[in-house]
Amino acid sequence: DYEYTLEGSVASYSDKELADACRLFVRSMASDGAGVDCVKFDGTAIYKPGFGSMGENPVADGSQFTVGVAFHTFQRTKDAKLLREILNALVKTMGAVPRNAETKLVRIDPARPWDRCPYGFTDSIHEQGDVLFCSLLYVQACRQLSDLLLAGQRGDESRQWKEEAGRVAASVRKVFWDADAGLFRAATIKCREHDIWGSAFAVFLGVADGGQSQAVARYFKTHYDQIVQQGQIRHLPGGVFWEQGCARDEYQNGAYWATPAGWFVYTLDLADPMLANRTILDLVNDFKKHGACEWIIGERRQLPNYLASAGLPLDGIRA
């Protein structure tokens, strides 16, 4: 959630706040480099969602978001001292991400009943196998780490991480893409449903190729009324629910979220720029009336003043 506010609105923080928060997340890594899910107010590092209650192992996106925090902090502050302090830890945390040795994708072990949670905005969903969203986050983090290493005058390592991003991106295009549907699937073993958020994010990152991007954009246009409410976006196609997750038609299993709206309109713009613009205006008008909620469905609105909803869409809207 914090990293998403940096992507959309890093100027909301002072340089000191940014540096302090970055150091907090870096020093809170586990001994093996695993990134946190959150840090309690007393400083206790939590590696699994639900304050440590969900899954056997650390969440599959903690390391990627830690790198993201560092990246946006450095982009804003240009703090060379901070960069020198944290670079080795950032390399270490990327090594802690669970991956499939063959595909290079982020993997949740299907041999365990509940190995770990996936992406934080689907942490109630029991995905297994290679997982799309955390793999996309890994591509993004590889690119960010490459840039940070280059800024730290570690050019050879920078090139290696850039090349790794390319390898993982190629694997994403091959493993998750469903040409018949025109969308990417969320996982390879359990919860293989078509992923609206992940498909939009793949286009936004430039991981999806040209044909895939156009196909996703056409799907969003054709199925718009099934997946959008007041500019906010469902995780899955209309009428589809996760194979194993929370209760239907609420939270991460059927409700509509503002968090991915920026990636969504960036993608939809490829097929229908006017509809993309309308989506943004619908979102803003809903925020004006009801606040930036975590999620909505029908007349239900959950948790107003939700920072990821208020911040992250700005990144894709600007793009």
Side-chain angles (χ1 to χ4, degrees):
D1 293 78
Y2 171 67
E3 197 273 351
Y4 275 170
T5 68
L6 302 188
E7 290 194 37
S9 191
V10 68
S12 294
Y13 301 96
S14 69
D15 284 6
K16 182 180 187 303
E17 287 171 330
L18 291 168
D20 287 349
C22 182
R23 287 187 170 98
L24 171 68
F25 284 118
V26 170
R27 71 170 177 260
S28 299
M29 290 176 192
S31 58
D32 66 355
V36 295
D37 178 72
C38 67
V39 181
K40 287 186 175 181
F41 289 121
D42 67 4
T44 303
I46 303 295
Y47 302 100
K48 298 177 287 186
F51 290 104
S53 65
M54 300 170 68
E56 298 177 37
N57 292 299
V59 68
D61 65 0
S63 296
Q64 298 96 306
F65 278 118
T66 301
V67 172
V69 166
F71 175 79
H72 291 288
T73 298
F74 180 74
Q75 290 293 105
R76 177 72 179 181
T77 67
K78 302 300 181 185
D79 187 335
K81 179 177 181 292
L82 173 63
L83 183 63
R84 288 192 298 271
E85 279 180 34
I86 64 177
L87 265 179
N88 287 338
L90 298 179
V91 172
K92 182 176 182 178
T93 200
M94 288 291 279
V97 179
R99 296 170 68 202
N100 183 331
E102 293 182 8
T103 64
K104 308 298 182 185
L105 298 166
V106 179
R107 186 167 180 80
I108 295 177
D109 188 356
R112 297 173 179 270
W114 197 2
D115 173 30
R116 67 183 79 230
C117 290
Y119 172 51
F121 286 77
T122 53
D123 57 13
S124 69
I125 311 305
H126 288 245
E127 296 179 12
Q128 289 184 343
D130 292 355
V131 290
L132 170 65
F133 213 100
C134 291
S135 297
L136 292 171
L137 291 171
Y138 193 84
V139 173
Q140 184 181 53
C142 283
R143 294 171 178 172
Q144 292 169 336
L145 181 56
S146 174
D147 287 352
L148 291 171
L149 287 162
L150 189 62
Q153 300 182 324
R154 292 164 62 167
D156 288 344
E157 291 173 85
S158 172
R159 282 188 293 275
Q160 291 168 7
W161 283 102
K162 187 175 182 179
E163 290 167 358
E164 185 68 2
R167 285 189 288 268
V168 178
S171 197
V172 166
R173 289 189 289 271
K174 178 181 178 182
V175 171
F176 297 108
W177 179 246
D178 183 347
D180 292 335
L183 294 169
F184 290 90
R185 290 189 179 274
T188 57
I189 295 178
K190 182 180 281 187
C191 297
R192 297 179 65 249
E193 286 76 22
H194 295 109
D195 189 339
I196 299 296
W197 291 30
S199 296
F201 191 43
V203 176
F204 180 73
L205 286 181
V207 170
D209 64 28
Q212 291 169 340
S213 298
Q214 290 293 336
V216 173
R218 287 194 300 270
Y219 184 95
F220 288 176
K221 178 180 180 180
T222 304
H223 298 84
Y224 184 88
D225 291 340
Q226 301 170 28
I227 55 178
V228 182
Q229 180 186 322
Q230 299 299 319
Q232 291 155 81
I233 318 300
R234 211 175 182 272
H235 284 80
L236 301 176
V240 176
F241 298 93
W242 292 105
E243 177 183 353
Q244 185 176 355
C246 60
R248 292 185 172 194
D249 282 329
E250 61 177 79
Y251 196 42
Q252 298 167 350
N253 201 12
Y256 299 80
W257 296 60
T259 302
W263 313 321
F264 181 86
V265 297
Y266 177 89
T267 303
L268 179 60
D269 184 68
L270 300 174
D272 193 332
M274 293 302 293
L275 186 56
N277 290 347
R278 195 190 92 193
T279 305
I280 297 166
L281 295 175
D282 287 348
L283 178 70
V284 170
N285 287 328
D286 193 64
F287 282 5
K288 285 180 176 179
K289 289 181 183 177
H290 303 289
C293 295
E294 183 186 26
W295 55 268
I296 67 173
I297 186 167
E299 297 303 314
R300 292 181 62 194
R301 284 176 161 77
Q302 183 73 18
L303 199 61
N305 305 318
Y306 190 69
L307 290 185
S309 294
L312 183 62
L314 291 164
D315 194 28
I317 290 168
R318 292 186 190 112

